[in-house]
Amino acid sequence: CIDKFGENGTLEINKCKFYDNKSNYWASCVWVGTSRSDNRNDQCLITDSVFKGNYGKYTSTVATSSENCVIKNCLFENNECDSGGTVNVSHYGTLEVVDTDITGNICTSDEEDDSTTAGICIDACGKLVLNGKVNIRIFPASGPLHISISYRFLATLFPHF
């Protein structure tokens, strides 16, 4: 749908509906940010939007490495990925999730690694901030972790690892 990976600037998405999109690579709906950790100024704001029935091989809906990405008042429902989560933040990006529901999403990977989740995946030194009411419900309840955090992310929080 929207591929702004590798570009600086601001992306604003407001009151949009993303239904039944498919990608055999990264996110099927929004892929934004850069992989550089210096000299960047990229912003992403996604508000009051709905993501339903999307499939992405490595992330089902939104993949970001933006310096600042905010997802607010959104619904992520019945999306599917092989790995990488419903929403993924990586490469020194910062993701803030505010008053958002992430429910009924599926991760089909048989592997239990740091990138296997149907919720939010934090990888390659990404940062996550949760504010307000954020519901992350995964079915079945015995499935993968709701929030997956890679070893590299833990190493940035706890240097003794």
Side-chain angles (χ1 to χ4, degrees):
C1 269
I2 301 171
D3 181 354
K4 292 290 185 182
F5 185 76
E7 299 179 25
N8 276 325
T10 299
L11 173 65
E12 292 186 26
I13 298 171
N14 185 33
K15 296 181 182 175
C16 291
K17 294 178 181 177
F18 296 87
Y19 292 160
D20 302 318
N21 295 290
K22 300 200 181 330
S23 171
N24 289 322
Y25 193 57
W26 278 100
S28 63
C29 301
V30 179
W31 189 17
V32 63
T34 66
S35 59
R36 300 184 309 270
S37 62
D38 59 339
N39 297 325
R40 63 189 226 186
N41 182 23
D42 48 340
Q43 314 293 319
C44 175
L45 178 61
I46 303 171
T47 54
D48 301 310
S49 295
V50 176
F51 299 80
K52 284 187 177 183
N54 301 291
Y55 169 81
K57 184 171 179 78
Y58 300 115
T59 299
S60 62
T61 60
V62 177
T64 181
S65 58
S66 291
E67 185 174 38
N68 293 299
C69 183
V70 177
I71 296 175
K72 184 175 181 180
N73 297 324
C74 291
L75 173 64
F76 295 84
E77 186 174 58
N78 300 327
N79 299 290
E80 183 179 335
C81 65
D82 291 345
S83 67
T86 300
V87 178
N88 180 297
V89 57
S90 65
H91 294 93
Y92 302 95
T94 299
L95 172 65
E96 180 177 3
V97 181
V98 182
D99 298 328
T100 291
D101 285 323
I102 301 173
T103 184
N105 300 289
I106 299 168
C107 181
T108 60
S109 177
D110 291 335
E111 297 181 32
E112 293 185 24
D113 61 20
D114 294 333
S115 297
T116 302
T117 180
I120 300 172
C121 180
I122 306 161
D123 191 18
C125 301
K127 299 173 198 151
L128 174 66
V129 178
L130 301 176
N131 280 319
K133 185 177 180 183
V134 178
N135 296 313
I136 302 174
R137 293 182 296 274
I138 297 179
F139 303 100
S142 61
L145 294 173
H146 295 189
I147 299 176
S148 172
I149 302 173
S150 75
Y151 173 79
R152 286 171 284 187
F153 178 74
L154 288 174
T156 64
L157 291 176
F158 308 105
H160 63 277
F161 270 63

